[in-house]
Amino acid sequence: MQLHIKKFGELTLEELYEILRHRAEIFVEEQACPYNDVDGLDINAYHVFLTDDDGIAAYLRVLDRGVQRDEVTIGRVIAVKRGQGLGAEIFMAGIEVAKEKFGATKIQIAAQCQARGFYEKFGFRQISEEFLDVGIPHIHMELDC
């Protein structure tokens, strides 16, 4: 596995296409949740992804404070290849990118409720009541770095 950390303008067309394809496959198709994934925030993000011989195996984006929320935000977390610990690996890399690139002292996420336990393993705690986002129960969570 190779770790990549790129700003939007550094992504190749092939990388961008593969990222958007995987996000659509997981968030739109698999979760049967039609929404506009191309939300305009990608141009302000660091795109963090793991690749192997088959292409992108895991991905997330990191946004600076003030772009989406008051604090640095991690989102669009996906593991294309599941059951191999890649979700945890890419998420740990995302936390490091948030600290190194944006000087994060807090990181916020909007987590699907079913993934709460995953994020708690990294020290995130719930900071909101449950809410629906595109029909899926979510909570806001935060990590003090």
Side-chain angles (χ1 to χ4, degrees), residues 76-87:
R76 302 296 201 267
V77 182
I78 58 173
V80 177
K81 295 187 174 185
R82 297 182 181 157
Q84 300 178 24
L86 298 178

Side-chain angles (χ1 to χ4, degrees), residues 74-122:
I74 296 175
R76 302 296 201 267
V77 182
I78 58 173
V80 177
K81 295 187 174 185
R82 297 182 181 157
Q84 300 178 24
L86 298 178
E89 187 175 341
I90 198 66
F91 199 68
M92 286 187 291
I95 291 170
E96 290 307 310
V97 168
K99 291 177 187 177
E100 292 172 13
K101 302 294 187 184
F102 296 127
T105 56
K106 290 182 185 289
I107 300 171
Q108 294 179 342
I109 60 173
Q112 292 184 9
C113 289
Q114 55 87 16
R116 176 182 176 172
F118 173 81
Y119 296 116
E120 286 176 336
K121 291 178 187 176
F122 298 94

Side-chain angles (χ1 to χ4, degrees), residues 22-101:
H22 287 311
R23 286 179 8 187
E25 288 170 348
I26 291 172
F27 295 120
V28 178
E29 294 174 25
E30 184 179 301
Q31 296 181 356
C33 190
Y35 77 105
N36 186 8
D37 178 54
V38 183
D39 59 5
L41 300 180
D42 287 317
I43 59 173
N44 299 305
Y46 273 98
H47 300 269
V48 183
F49 52 102
L50 292 168
T51 59
D52 62 13
D53 291 339
D54 297 325
I56 294 175
Y59 166 86
L60 59 75
R61 72 180 183 188
V62 183
L63 296 166
D64 199 0
R65 61 187 58 77
V67 174
Q68 186 175 39
R69 293 189 178 78
D70 292 338
E71 300 294 341
V72 175
T73 306
I74 296 175
R76 302 296 201 267
V77 182
I78 58 173
V80 177
K81 295 187 174 185
R82 297 182 181 157
Q84 300 178 24
L86 298 178
E89 187 175 341
I90 198 66
F91 199 68
M92 286 187 291
I95 291 170
E96 290 307 310
V97 168
K99 291 177 187 177
E100 292 172 13
K101 302 294 187 184

